[in-house]
Amino acid sequence: NAGVTQTPKFQVLKTGQSMTLQCAQDMNHEYMSWYRQDPGMGLRLIHYSVGAGITDQGEVPNGYNVSRSTTEDFPLRLLSAAPSQTSVYFCASTYRDRGIYEQYFGPGTRLTVT
Amino acid sequence: GENVEQHPSTLSVQEGDSAVIKCTYSDSASNYFPWYKQELGKRPQLIIDIRSNVGEKKDQRIAVTLNKTAKHFSLHITETQPEDSAVYFCAARRGRAAGNKLTFGGGTRVLVKP
């Protein structure tokens, strides 16, 4: 049981480039999310999904797209990278049971946009 | 939307002393309040949580209290140890009508001095 995996761990992009951050989970969780973490700003929700085929926007969705074709995978696409997107990105999958929502985070992707 | 404020942003305590972190939230419909611990360079991990129908919950040296009327909740760590040094995040989850989204506070960096 690998939990939540993310690739790559580190990435450097030039302004204007696009790329996809991969996220996968093997816990059969329906709910998955993407967050970005900037110093002093905690974790901010980018996009989330409540199940395969269903996605919705979080607090800071601009510049990012997501898709959820399977329960396991939830990739995050940067359309045209900007220096403001330099951050650490965490994918999370959520175990839900009787009002408890335990989020399992992936190891993170550290992205630098120059 | 939900707004979660967390104080203090940094906290330095002597080993063996107690540490208290406080959070306030804005949406009275929020019903679940987890706390995450993030060690340097690692992913956030759930350490304790509380549902809105409970006022206090304890797990060994950590406890969480919730005051729904005042919309604030707190994390208490007793007998602090050097391994408690980390960044702690509070969060509030809104209900199904708001997509069960989790909003995080800005984090508290705790340093336990030996």
Side-chain angles (χ1 to χ4, degrees), chain A residues 7-63:
Chain A
T7 55
K9 288 189 176 161
F10 300 94
Q11 183 71 49
V12 179
L13 290 178
K14 288 186 164 51
T15 297
Q17 287 184 313
S18 63
M19 79 158 294
T20 300
L21 308 186
Q22 301 292 344
C23 174
Q25 54 98 1
D26 61 0
M27 298 175 282
N28 202 33
H29 292 164
E30 291 182 336
Y31 198 105
M32 296 184 74
S33 314
W34 274 102
Y35 294 89
R36 60 178 287 173
Q37 184 174 34
D38 302 303
M41 303 217 29
L43 293 141
R44 291 184 293 167
L45 183 65
I46 305 171
H47 285 287
Y48 67 101
S49 169
V50 299
I54 306 168
T55 64
D56 206 346
Q57 295 181 352
E59 297 175 66
V60 289
N62 292 341

Side-chain angles (χ1 to χ4, degrees), chain B residues 8-46:
Chain B
S9 56
T10 59
L11 180 60
S12 182
V13 297
Q14 209 64 40
E15 182 177 357
D17 287 351
S18 295
V20 180
I21 304 169
K22 297 182 179 182
C23 289
T24 60
Y25 61 99
S26 61
D27 187 352
S28 55
S30 290
N31 55 21
Y32 174 70
F33 306 91
W35 287 87
Y36 286 82
K37 176 183 179 182
Q38 186 178 29
E39 295 175 352
L40 190 62
K42 297 196 174 177
R43 71 191 82 185
Q45 292 195 296
L46 180 72

Side-chain angles (χ1 to χ4, degrees), chain A residues 19 46-47 60-65 76-82 85:
Chain A
M19 79 158 294
I46 305 171
H47 285 287
V60 289
N62 292 341
Y64 308 95
N65 273 355
L76 177 73
R77 183 163 179 80
L78 278 70
L79 307 172
S80 176
Q85 293 180 304

